[in-house]
Amino acid sequence: MSGAAGCQGGGGGDDDDRGPRWRRPWKLLALGLLSASSVLAAAPGAGAMSKEEKRQLGNQVLEMFDHAYRNYMEHAYPADELMPLTCRGRVRGQEPSRGDVDDALGKFSLTLIDTLDTLVVLNKTKEFEEAVKKVIKDVNLDNDIVVSVFETNIRVLGGLLGGHSVAIMLKEKGEYMQWYNDELLHMAKELGYKLLPAFNTTSGLPYPRVNLKFGIRHPEARTGTETDTCTACAGTLILEFAALSRFTGTSIFEEYARKALDFIWEKRQRSSNLVGVTINIHTGDWVRKDSGVGAGIDSYYEYLLKAYVLLGDDSFLERFNTHYNAIMRYISQPPLLLDVHIHKPMLNARTWMDSLLAFFPGLQVLKGDIRPAIETHEMLYQVIKKHNFLPEAFTTDFRVHWAQHPLRPEFAESTYFLYKATGDPYYLEVGKTLIENLNKYARVPCGFAAMKDVRTGSHEDRMDSFFLAEMFKYLYLLFADKEDMIFDIEDYIFTTEAHLLPLWLSTTNQTIAKKNTTTEYTELDDSNFDWTCPNTQILFPNDPMFAESIREPLKNVVDKSCPRGISRVEESLGSGPKPPLRARDFMASNPEHLEILKKMGVSLIHLKDGRVQLVQHAVQAASSLDAEDGLRFMQEMIELSSQQQKEQQLPPRAVQIVSHPFFGRVVLTAGPAQFGMDLSKHKAGTRGFVATIKPYNGCSEITNPEAVKEKIALMQRGHCMFAEKARNIQKAGAIGGIVIDDNEGSSSDTAPLFQMAGDGKNTDDITIPMLFLFNKEGNIILDAIREYEAVEVLLSDKAKDRATIFKGKMIPNYIIDSNLEMENMDQKLSENDSHRQNSEEATSAFQDVGEVSEEPEEERSDVVDPDSLAPVNADSDSISISNQDSYVPEPDEASAPEPTCTQGDNQPQVQKTETEPNSKVNWDNKVQPMESILADWNEDIEAFEMMEKDEL
């Protein structure tokens, strides 16, 4: 996501002056932003960061960018992306498929194109000129490959247009790019024509994917059968397509993008003015009817407002205002932003938030609605301070829901725009924290690695192109002064991928004669919907402490303790009637209990697999009060089952390579064991050099005990029980063990972690720690042994910072990658890590961990069935729960306007495998279906169903 560049001043203005103002400079055009200098002047008493410190932080951002960009060019180019752990390029078809994530890769040097205008923003004009020549010479857009229309538009088309925009700017200045003759624009036009076949639908909404060589309908296209697309996928085209039309004078691109936006607007839910997440591209029916500002919808709202800024079409602003009013009425529950149902917007659709909504405070700044922007940003910052990064999803009580963090830039973006709007040095300190965390936890020898799990600090072998395209751009602009820039950033608007489009396009090649007509638009009586850029007196009425006064009540919103020993349902029932049977007392073998269930409309079904299923039919209850009691019972049973399931599972562990040349920078996600040393109770972990045992499967007496003694043993999965392997290596003198999966190509990137189970016997005799690594992660250690021989690792509950690892020892010079401020940072590592551990100990979030028992004739079950929920006092039966008739709760039961301590609905993601032509890799991803426990409530239960598929 990205905001818009900036706006100075603001002031008033009448509505009838809207049209002529579009011929004025950008500084009078943008909504919501104002210069930092104007606010700082109004608040001289603020604890401003010194110019020297800002300069040093800006230089540090430049060094970090150089580290990432240089490693991509040296180890990955011309591949689309860098794999920073294995120091090689990611080429689609040569690596295991990651499902939809790989749709961004098209064998067109994605990272280089995505980074072009970042080079100019960071004043690297020589590198930019070289990069443009490489793109022109090497990039082929005519590949037989199926790509995402959305990702290709924002990253590749946007990157080419952004590169062209700054190229012509540099050429006009007369020093660089004098040879340039619109080559990037010609490539952009070629790519635009390759995307147009996706729009061949009756609705005008594009197919989600297109083959770059064969389009949609061609027999060899391997796409065109899809029926659904996300709202953002179809609604995030207008900036790039309109810019392409304005640059080239070819109107068809802008026409197609406008038609898609028009169709989405017409299909909005008229009573709530909200749109769903997924829509049928042929019929226009909403497939997923939940609505929010995060994944699947986010940039649709962003592009409505920015289309007004760039193109001057009032109807885009009218549509945005209509949607924004609905967002603030239904979705915004300060400081939270919770998804609701478009038909019943007073009811929350889920109890967690995804990280992509972090862009929204920046958009609110552009809108001029500063208070909720500050509130939501502060809440997100508190989550970051607890976990070092923003998890992909977290619950309303701020527990980790999805633990990954692919180095997303949305929070940095909002931080930049809030600083532009307030001038508050607090946001410079926020940016400084982001820089420190990236260097401390994500930096590896070959770039920056995404976080596999923010709780353990384990890494994932990916560095997405948007990290270079957006993150460093926003961080540099945060600390840069106007004199640090070689051009005026406020002459441009940022796309959602932070690419630069010049504002003068608004008056160039206006090939669309007729503007969009927004039907049924209702004038909204809201002072926030001013047409002008608000000035400091509007946002901060004579109060330099205004922003701080908004933040202060949210300082402890994440760390406040959650009440224990009583569920939300019990709490809500505190003042109301108690149901005749509590879930904690229920026994499936008790006839009285079964009779009470029948009265409440709850029936018990014995399944073939031995489980017992509870089903509620509200219409079969003896009375409406009994039906309500039945619903309460079902809710209690769900929470009790979920709580017990969580208690039986262990969180993932970390294997950290601490020897040369890694020095703790490579962290591998490891599965725990139900036996042996509990690493969560031994904070120092177990550290030692690794050694491969003989026999490698570890199923008999170790024949090389001299090589294993006082070391951490490496062994292969298979042929015997995990506990047997542990006993054999412990007898040989090993201080720990790592079991490596024997399934070739398996990876924690594409498979859920699991914990190693015991052998059904007493395992108290096993005292050493045992961890499990998938094949890919295990090979990283084996490759390191082949190259460096002596490899030392640390087994722990979570990754340690370098100051902890080398405490009392000399820190090797190899560790110092940055020449700027790294010494000062290292002095703070221990203090920061202590604070991090104290805050993280308060969380009870966990990652899905399946339980595996390994037998001589293995029939492996790596994934726990999410529906196998064992209730308390239910004999040996397992219970799954569903409600199948309608029940409409009171509004206060359905939604909570304030943060509450809830159980996260921890749903696994569905992985999709795509095989490219001529691919030599066969890779079968396991697909784990998601089924809501509260399935099938007919009409009104739609208001409670969690979404079946999340497309983060």
Side-chain angles (χ1 to χ4, degrees), residues 4-20:
C7 166
Q8 290 186 354
D14 298 325
D15 286 357
D16 58 2
D17 190 35
R18 285 173 272 177

Side-chain angles (χ1 to χ4, degrees), residues 22-49:
W22 284 105
R23 297 179 179 85
R24 302 179 186 181
W26 161 237
K27 294 176 183 179
L28 296 178
L29 293 179
L31 293 89
L33 290 181
L34 59 160
S35 68
S37 58
S38 62
V39 183
L40 287 174
M49 181 180 287

Side-chain angles (χ1 to χ4, degrees), residues 128-163:
F128 170 74
E129 193 158 5
E130 294 172 359
V132 172
K133 291 178 180 178
K134 284 183 179 292
V135 169
I136 296 171
K137 176 177 176 289
D138 299 338
V139 172
N140 177 25
L141 298 174
D142 194 39
N143 299 313
D144 178 12
I145 193 167
V146 176
V147 296
S148 163
V149 173
F150 168 75
E151 297 290 355
T152 304
N153 172 66
I154 65 172
R155 299 201 206 188
V156 186
L157 183 58
L160 293 171
L161 292 172

